[in-house]
């Protein structure tokens, strides 16, 4: 029988040591609590994130190994560059956060449900309004064709999910986010758990202990709280112009 710590509603900043997470299922650490801004920010600052399905209690995870992107290593590949030449696609930052998270929550081909349940949408939208969660959007005219969203704490960006309504939409959003963060001196995008898609885009797995050390260092640095649209949109547009040039 699995015995997991239950989080106290009275102490949103308190989590068990991530090193005590289960090996099977990999990274399961605790359950309960809530999705308040204070608890979410405390979790990400300690290398922990929520992941659960409809009808399940809130589950908290810190897997080993951890999957990450290095912002200085992520580039737009040749096939996407060719696609962008002559394309009318445009990029923005923090223009349509809720539309991006709702698009990410749509069921994917081959999957019956989604982990981005209504409570998660509400919680991350609240974080966005507080200036801690951000999105990069890909547009074809007024149509949203791709995007990515996640949480920023210090100089660490914790990517949550991305989507494509057109081939290449999520790849461009990810590359644009990496370019934006690289320009600001943010070295890492956390993507939590590896899959074939993220590994194919250049993600790498690192030991949890190393990730926790990097996360502690980066989250202690001064970051950018607030809406990123004004400063971020020109930078992602420069990424697009360079790729399509």
């Amino acid at each position: 029988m699995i015995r997991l710590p239950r989080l106290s509603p009275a102490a949103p900043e308190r989590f068990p040591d991530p090193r005590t997470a289960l090996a099977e299922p990999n990274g399961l650490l605790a359950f309960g609590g809530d999705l308040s801004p204070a608890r979410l920010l405390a979790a990400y600052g300690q290398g922990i994130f929520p992941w659960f399905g409809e009808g399940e209690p809130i589950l908290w995870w810190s897997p080993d190994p951890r999957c990450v992107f290095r912002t200085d290593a992520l580039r737009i590949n040749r096939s996407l560059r060719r696609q962008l030449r002559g394309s009318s696609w445009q990029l923005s930052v923090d223009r349509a956060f809720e539309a991006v998270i709702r698009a990410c929550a749509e069921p994917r081909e081959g999957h019956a449900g989604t982990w981005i349940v209504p409570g998660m949408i509400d919680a991350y939208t609240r974080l966005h309004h507080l200036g801690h969660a951000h999105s990069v959007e890909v547009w074809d005219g007024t149509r949203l064709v791709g995007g990515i969203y996640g949480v920023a704490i210090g100089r660490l960006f914790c990517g949550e999910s991305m989507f494509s309504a057109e081939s290449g939409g999520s790849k461009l959003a990810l590359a644009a986010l990496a370019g934006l963060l690289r320009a600001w001196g943010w070295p890492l995008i956390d993507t939590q758990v590896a899959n074939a898609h993220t590994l194919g885009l250049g993600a790498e797995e690192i030991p949890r202990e190393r990730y926790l050390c990097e996360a502690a260092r980066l989250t202690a640095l001064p970051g950018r709280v607030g809406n990123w649209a004004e400063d971020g949109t020109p930078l992602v547009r420069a990424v697009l112009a360079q790729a399509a040039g």
Side-chain angles (χ1 to χ4, degrees):
M1 179 183 293
I2 297 174
R3 293 187 178 274
L4 285 178
R6 182 172 191 161
L7 300 185
S8 166
E13 75 289 347
R14 275 198 196 164
F15 286 87
D17 186 331
R19 298 165 185 84
T20 65
L22 297 177
E24 183 59 41
N26 181 15
L28 183 56
L29 178 68
F31 77 101
D34 55 32
L35 297 174
S36 67
R39 193 181 298 273
L40 285 171
L41 291 175
Y44 285 106
Q46 297 173 61
I48 300 162
F49 59 88
W51 185 31
F52 59 99
E54 190 72 58
E56 294 179 343
I58 300 172
L59 301 175
W60 300 90
W61 303 77
S62 186
D64 187 13
R66 193 72 165 235
C67 189
V68 300
F69 284 103
R70 302 286 176 186
T71 61
D72 62 357
L74 210 160
R75 298 288 187 269
I76 294 175
N77 61 28
R78 277 190 225 173
S79 62
L80 183 53
R81 285 183 186 277
R82 286 195 296 268
Q83 180 184 343
L84 292 174
R85 292 189 187 115
S87 165
S88 61
W89 284 7
Q90 292 295 321
L91 288 164
S92 62
V93 178
D94 280 353
R95 174 178 161 189
F97 181 90
E98 190 166 352
V100 169
I101 192 172
R102 289 189 180 279
C104 290
E106 290 293 320
R108 311 290 172 95
E109 187 176 349
H111 297 273
T114 177
W115 59 270
I116 308 175
V117 298
M120 293 280 270
I121 293 173
D122 291 345
Y124 286 85
T125 301
R126 193 179 315 126
L127 269 188
H128 171 66
H129 290 314
L130 292 171
H132 300 290
H134 306 278
S135 59
V136 172
E137 302 92 18
V138 183
W139 303 90
D140 186 357
T142 59
R143 182 174 172 241
L144 190 63
V145 296
I148 187 170
Y149 80 94
V151 176
I153 178 166
R155 292 189 192 174
L156 174 68
F157 193 90
C158 302
E160 282 296 306
S161 188
M162 55 187 177
F163 85 98
S164 283
E166 296 286 349
S167 176
S170 63
K171 291 180 185 177
L172 178 57
L174 175 61
L177 173 64
L180 167 66
L181 297 175
R182 186 167 62 247
W184 285 346
W186 297 36
L188 205 64
I189 301 173
D190 168 36
T191 62
Q192 301 171 352
V193 179
N195 59 47
H197 181 61
T198 55
L199 292 174
L201 291 174
E204 62 177 290
E205 291 185 301
I206 62 174
R208 178 174 57 208
E209 186 62 37
R210 188 164 129 214
Y211 174 78
L212 294 176
C213 291
E214 291 204 46
R217 179 180 67 83
L218 293 172
T219 56
L221 296 173
R224 288 173 175 260
V225 177
N227 192 289
W228 287 1
E230 184 175 354
D231 293 337
T233 297
L235 290 171
V236 296
R237 287 178 176 168
V239 170
L240 177 59
Q242 184 179 26

